[in-house]
Amino acid sequence: MSCPFSLRFRIYVSIFYFVFGFRFDQIIWCIMSSSSVIDGDLYSSMSESEEQDAENSFFEGGESSSSVHDAQYCDDIIGEHVYKPDVPVQLIPFKGLIFKSLKLAIKMYSEYAGIGGFDVRLSTQSRFDNKIIKKKHVICNRGGKQKKKSCDTLGKSGVRRKRNSNSRVISCQAKIIFESMYGTPDYKVFQFDELHNHPLEKRSDLKKKARQMSYSEKEFIVHVSTSKIGPTMAHKLRESLRGGYEFLKPKVVDYKNLRRDINRVIGYKDAQMIVNTMNDRRAHYPNYSFEFNCQDDVLDCMFWADEMEKAYYAEFGDVISFDATFRTNKYQMVFVPFTAIDHHKKSVTVGSGLLSNESIESYSWLLKAFLKTHGKEPTLVLTDQDAAIKQAVENVFRNSKHRLCMWHIMKKLKKR
């Protein structure tokens, strides 16, 4: 005789509840406790009554024996280890702790993190209508979720499925939330989660001494800066060369600070440094020429040419061209390259100069330095239509013919 469907259904439900029911409430608790918002403001969209209820649900009852047992059981289910910072009791923040300002509150948590063995970063915040910060989240530097990045793949989703090995974000839930005490500049601790899901570093590793750069790292930053690579990109390159972020102790801000300090040191000595470098080359390189001029102890004009450029001028110096339109350096000095054409119809440089201004006196000094270096005037000089250049060429190159560049003429013909 077959069993009725309703009876079989009741039997199945009873078996299911008997097998899974005694753990169902604890599983639900684990899921809810692991889904707390880290990167967002958990209560920003709640009403005041709902916010109070949520606060009570999180904090009422303290750490009872049952809650500790549930937390341990949750760890067993999820399979993650938790790590508690080893910090003196008097330095551990607690709910309701009041600070005179938000800056002091953040400073306290940063010092706590430094002793505990982790770094922190500022996260989301909510504001009142008058733009005063209502709640401020400060989270562990390894908290949050990694953003999905599009990649070239054969998969239909077109998103990166493998976690980036260089990323330190692993959804750590350790955080602190500061809440404004309305009507006063004070802030209090609204929520504090101290457990981490990753091993904590030694205190000595977080000290500034451990972040000091070696001579090779400083030399690397200086060398890459000559190729217009900034400190941020230099840090990424160094990280790749070392094999990962964890093998590079200095932070990006350390690279930026070093670059700033170098610029400060060079600041008022940069002109003397370039003059010393050029004089050193003139003393050690064969047939190297360098001339400079100063006005009121300020570098005004420079000209230099090496042995190869002199050889080019001796062979192809009948016709030269120079243009003073390059003003892209931070000192706003005009770069003036002297160019000739070789027998392959390729441009070759026969000298270079820097001018602080485009006056007749500056151009005259530059052409005199050019003539002193090469020893003879060119047959033909090509320039753009500049009154100062025209006057300087007539004053210095008396036996040369001066013509205007056809490229400049055709360019201006359309406009004029």
Side-chain angles (χ1 to χ4, degrees), residues 44 51 53 57 72-73 76 80 88 91 126 209 262 277 288 323 341 348 351 357 389 409:
S44 59
E51 182 176 332
D53 294 337
S57 65
Q72 295 175 350
Y73 180 73
D76 295 336
E80 292 183 350
L91 299 180
S126 61
K209 183 177 180 181
I262 292 174
T277 301
Y288 187 89
D323 192 2
I341 304 296
V348 292
N357 59 79
I389 294 179
I409 295 176

Side-chain angles (χ1 to χ4, degrees), residues 38-39 109 113 117-123 137-144 168-176 193-200:
I38 295 179
D39 291 334
Y109 191 63
F118 64 98
D119 290 326
V120 298
R121 73 172 187 267
L122 302 180
S123 187
H137 294 237
V138 185
I139 66 175
C140 173
N141 196 36
R142 306 190 71 175
R168 293 172 61 87
V169 175
I170 55 173
S171 301
C172 180
Q173 297 188 16
K175 66 179 179 293
I176 192 169
D193 298 328
E194 62 176 337
L195 299 182
H196 299 255
N197 65 348
H198 58 89
L200 302 174

Side-chain angles (χ1 to χ4, degrees), residues 219-234:
E219 187 179 31
F220 175 78
I221 297 173
V222 175
H223 285 173
V224 298
S225 65
T226 60
S227 300
K228 295 185 178 180
I229 297 177
T232 302
M233 184 57 66

Side-chain angles (χ1 to χ4, degrees), residues 146-338:
Q146 186 180 10
K147 296 181 180 179
K148 293 183 179 181
K149 298 181 180 180
S150 60
C151 60
D152 190 6
T153 177
L154 296 177
K156 295 181 180 180
S157 61
V159 297
R160 188 188 300 276
R161 295 184 179 181
K162 186 177 180 181
R163 188 177 69 86
N164 187 357
S165 60
N166 293 329
S167 176
R168 293 172 61 87
V169 175
I170 55 173
S171 301
C172 180
Q173 297 188 16
K175 66 179 179 293
I176 192 169
I177 303 176
F178 299 106
E179 182 184 36
S180 172
M181 300 181 68
Y182 191 77
T184 68
D186 300 345
Y187 281 80
K188 68 177 181 179
V189 177
F190 176 76
Q191 180 178 342
F192 173 57
D193 298 328
E194 62 176 337
L195 299 182
H196 299 255
N197 65 348
H198 58 89
L200 302 174
E201 302 179 27
K202 297 180 181 179
R203 296 183 184 180
S204 59
D205 293 338
L206 291 175
K207 291 182 180 180
K208 193 171 183 180
K209 183 177 180 181
R211 291 171 54 179
Q212 289 181 351
M213 287 176 283
S214 62
Y215 179 80
S216 61
E217 287 178 319
K218 296 178 181 179
E219 187 179 31
F220 175 78
I221 297 173
V222 175
H223 285 173
V224 298
S225 65
T226 60
S227 300
K228 295 185 178 180
I229 297 177
T232 302
M233 184 57 66
H235 188 270
K236 292 182 180 180
L237 292 174
R238 193 71 174 180
E239 172 192 332
S240 300
L241 294 174
R242 285 291 183 88
Y245 186 88
E246 61 274 12
F247 301 107
L248 186 63
K249 292 299 180 182
K251 311 298 182 183
V252 177
V253 65
D254 299 322
Y255 275 53
K256 292 181 179 179
N257 291 340
L258 177 66
R259 187 67 189 142
R260 177 203 61 198
D261 295 339
I262 292 174
N263 291 336
R264 284 180 178 177
V265 172
I266 293 177
Y268 299 100
K269 304 176 183 177
D270 46 3
Q272 188 62 50
M273 289 173 62
I274 189 64
V275 170
N276 293 341
T277 301
M278 290 297 191
N279 285 331
D280 185 65
R281 289 186 179 182
R282 182 170 57 182
H284 293 88
Y285 283 75
N287 204 15
Y288 187 89
S289 296
F290 169 63
E291 303 289 337
F292 71 97
N293 183 45
C294 295
Q295 294 288 343
D296 299 329
D297 295 330
V298 177
L299 184 62
D300 186 56
C301 306
M302 288 175 52
F303 176 81
W304 66 94
D306 58 18
E307 185 179 16
M308 184 60 68
E309 292 172 342
K310 291 182 179 180
Y312 282 146
Y313 184 79
E315 294 293 332
F316 317 112
D318 294 336
V319 180
I320 67 168
S321 172
F322 67 93
D323 192 2
T325 60
F326 303 96
R327 193 192 290 266
T328 59
N329 55 83
K330 65 179 182 180
Y331 302 100
Q332 294 299 309
M333 294 189 74
V334 183
F335 177 60
V336 186
F338 292 83

Side-chain angles (χ1 to χ4, degrees), residues 41 44 100-102 124-136 178-187:
D41 191 343
S44 59
K100 293 298 182 180
S101 66
L102 181 60
T124 55
Q125 63 188 19
S126 61
R127 295 177 180 270
F128 294 108
D129 294 337
N130 56 359
K131 305 303 181 180
I132 297 177
I133 296 178
K134 180 182 180 182
K135 288 191 179 72
K136 182 67 178 180
F178 299 106
E179 182 184 36
S180 172
M181 300 181 68
Y182 191 77
T184 68
D186 300 345
Y187 281 80

